[in-house]
Amino acid sequence: MAVVHLLVASLILSVIRSVAAVAGGESNVPSAPLYNAAVPGLMMPVVGLGTGSYGSPGESWDNDDAAMATYHFLKSGGRRLDGALTYKGQLGLARGIATSGVARSDIFITSKIPPCGYNETLANFKQVLKDLQTDYVDLFLIHSACGHCRNGDPDPACDGQLDNHTACRLSTWRAMEEIFRSGSAKSIGVSNYVQRHLQEIFDTPGALWPTVVQNELQVYHHDDDLVAFCKAHNITFNTYAPLTTPDYGPIVHHWPLKRGSLDEPAVLAVGKAHGKSSAQVVLRWAWQQNMVVNPRSMNATHIAEVLDIFDFELGVDEMKTLSNIKPPPGSDGRVCGDPYKCK
């Protein structure tokens, strides 16, 4: 996919604005249109608040952390929150929304559940709505292509002993479709899926196609083939860990120099040229490839910073430079697990 083409498409999308009234001002964060299994006209804000439990070893967001981050994000003009049933701060999201004063109708909420079959998915979705204190979500995702299911799962296709997860994924997707058709989820998609997992859905007669794929993507690791595959099927690509979780990757994966992508000389140089931080540079790099991003922070200053990536543009050569950054020696650059290992 040509970088120039991506820049043009980015400029077209950047004129679409999600404007919501807030105390003290308005949110002008651009939004991207969603297709496939999404209600007509649904728009997804480009920048969302990631609330996952990755971070320094032993670190995990609790409900107080999530409430504080949610509050700051919404008050700073952010309008998309990314949670999951398996995260430890989902109750905190609801509390942060309530204290922010921002109307639920102005907020795009994503949640995720494990791939544990039809009945478990319906039950888990009810718990998600209860935790978030809402009667609908804007985007509901299968959290991964394998794992998380216990032995003796009520759905035989999802018993934890099985080595092949195809039947379990499809059983789970059938429940996702039912939830979408009920109106309780405005769109449905998947996370940590790759081409062959998506193709299972495409090959199922009458199946709805996912509207979003949420996978790790950052300058150290970007699956360009998967991104192109999603684009060809009108699937929006949503990146998590776009900043390579600087407090986690270098420590857990023992990266040389103990640094993350935000300290890469090329990223620093581009940031200096534009008067922007490293975080703003790598998020802009993803956005100019028509991706929506999930940075994660509890710091009010950093939260305001990651929402401020729409007043500058990276040039063609800068985009190429960032795309050509090599991962740390001996590493594939991933912060999280490899979805290609899911059978």
Side-chain angles (χ1 to χ4, degrees), residues 194-259:
V194 296
Q195 291 92 322
R196 69 172 181 271
H197 306 137
L198 292 166
Q199 194 64 51
E200 294 169 354
I201 297 175
F202 300 156
D203 291 343
T204 301
L208 300 176
W209 288 13
T211 187
V212 166
V213 166
Q214 185 185 110
N215 280 29
E216 177 179 356
L217 186 142
Q218 25 87 3
V219 294
Y220 279 160
H221 177 82
H222 40 98
D223 190 339
D224 297 332
D225 289 340
L226 177 59
V227 171
F229 184 83
C230 289
K231 180 178 176 60
H233 292 85
N234 287 325
I235 298 173
T236 297
F237 199 96
N238 180 194
T239 79
Y240 69 76
L243 310 181
T244 63
T245 54
D247 58 345
Y248 179 86
I251 299 171
V252 173
H253 297 296
H254 307 292
W255 288 348
L257 306 180
K258 303 297 182 185
R259 72 184 184 201

Side-chain angles (χ1 to χ4, degrees):
M1 187 180 300
V3 173
V4 173
H5 174 73
L6 293 172
L7 289 172
V8 172
S10 176
L11 289 174
I12 293 172
L13 280 178
S14 68
V15 303
I16 303 172
R17 299 286 168 173
S18 174
V19 181
V22 298
E26 292 184 333
S27 171
N28 290 311
V29 174
S31 291
L34 297 181
Y35 304 101
N36 300 333
V39 298
L42 185 63
M43 306 291 291
M44 184 175 185
V46 171
V47 181
L49 177 67
T51 62
S53 298
Y54 47 84
S56 298
E59 184 266 351
S60 179
W61 281 26
D62 60 21
N63 287 313
D64 289 340
D65 296 329
M68 177 181 65
T70 297
Y71 174 84
H72 287 309
F73 186 76
L74 294 174
K75 297 298 281 187
S76 297
R79 288 296 178 269
R80 180 165 60 83
L81 305 171
D82 187 90
L85 183 65
T86 57
Y87 295 168
K88 297 182 179 180
Q90 194 159 247
L91 293 172
L93 294 185
R95 196 190 329 151
I97 292 170
T99 57
S100 73
V102 178
R104 167 66 183 92
S105 59
D106 291 333
I107 303 170
F108 188 108
I109 299 179
T110 299
S111 193
K112 302 179 281 290
I113 47 87
C116 293
Y118 182 84
N119 291 328
E120 286 285 287
T121 297
L122 296 179
N124 284 336
F125 183 66
K126 290 180 180 179
Q127 186 63 50
V128 165
L129 296 182
K130 180 179 178 181
D131 288 349
L132 293 173
Q133 298 176 30
T134 184
D135 56 3
Y136 73 96
V137 295
D138 298 274
L139 175 62
F140 194 42
L141 304 176
I142 300 176
H143 204 158
S144 62
C146 62
H148 299 299
C149 295
R150 63 183 185 275
N151 295 341
D153 187 285
D155 187 331
C158 299
D159 190 289
Q161 296 292 340
L162 297 180
D163 292 326
N164 187 305
H165 297 268
T166 297
C168 185
R169 285 190 290 267
L170 293 178
S171 177
T172 303
W173 186 249
R174 186 163 57 90
M176 300 287 285
E177 292 176 321
E178 181 171 319
I179 290 167
F180 171 68
R181 291 189 174 105
S182 76
S184 297
K186 291 187 176 182
S187 60
I188 53 175
V190 295
S191 180
N192 297 303
Y193 269 46
V194 296
Q195 291 92 322
R196 69 172 181 271
H197 306 137
L198 292 166
Q199 194 64 51
E200 294 169 354
I201 297 175
F202 300 156
D203 291 343
T204 301
L208 300 176
W209 288 13
T211 187
V212 166
V213 166
Q214 185 185 110
N215 280 29
E216 177 179 356
L217 186 142
Q218 25 87 3
V219 294
Y220 279 160
H221 177 82
H222 40 98
D223 190 339
D224 297 332
D225 289 340
L226 177 59
V227 171
F229 184 83
C230 289
K231 180 178 176 60
H233 292 85
N234 287 325
I235 298 173
T236 297
F237 199 96
N238 180 194
T239 79
Y240 69 76
L243 310 181
T244 63
T245 54
D247 58 345
Y248 179 86
I251 299 171
V252 173
H253 297 296
H254 307 292
W255 288 348
L257 306 180
K258 303 297 182 185
R259 72 184 184 201
S261 64
L262 301 188
D263 295 318
E264 282 290 333
V267 175
L268 293 168
V270 173
K272 183 177 181 180
H274 290 275
K276 293 292 183 178
S277 70
S278 291
Q280 290 171 314
V281 167
V282 297
L283 293 175
R284 181 72 197 190
W285 168 81
W287 164 231
Q288 287 189 203
Q289 297 176 74
N290 297 333
M291 302 171 193
V292 297
V293 296
N294 290 2
R296 177 177 177 270
S297 179
M298 289 185 288
N299 181 293
T301 299
H302 292 167
I303 286 172
E305 181 179 285
V306 299
L307 289 165
D308 183 26
I309 63 170
F310 304 107
D311 61 349
F312 73 108
E313 183 180 349
L314 301 176
V316 173
D317 289 342
E318 290 173 322
M319 290 290 290
K320 289 180 179 178
T321 295
L322 296 172
S323 295
N324 289 330
I325 291 176
K326 302 299 182 185
S331 165
D332 66 0
R334 295 180 193 273
V335 172
C336 299
D338 182 355
Y340 282 93
K341 293 181 179 179
C342 286
K343 298 180 180 179

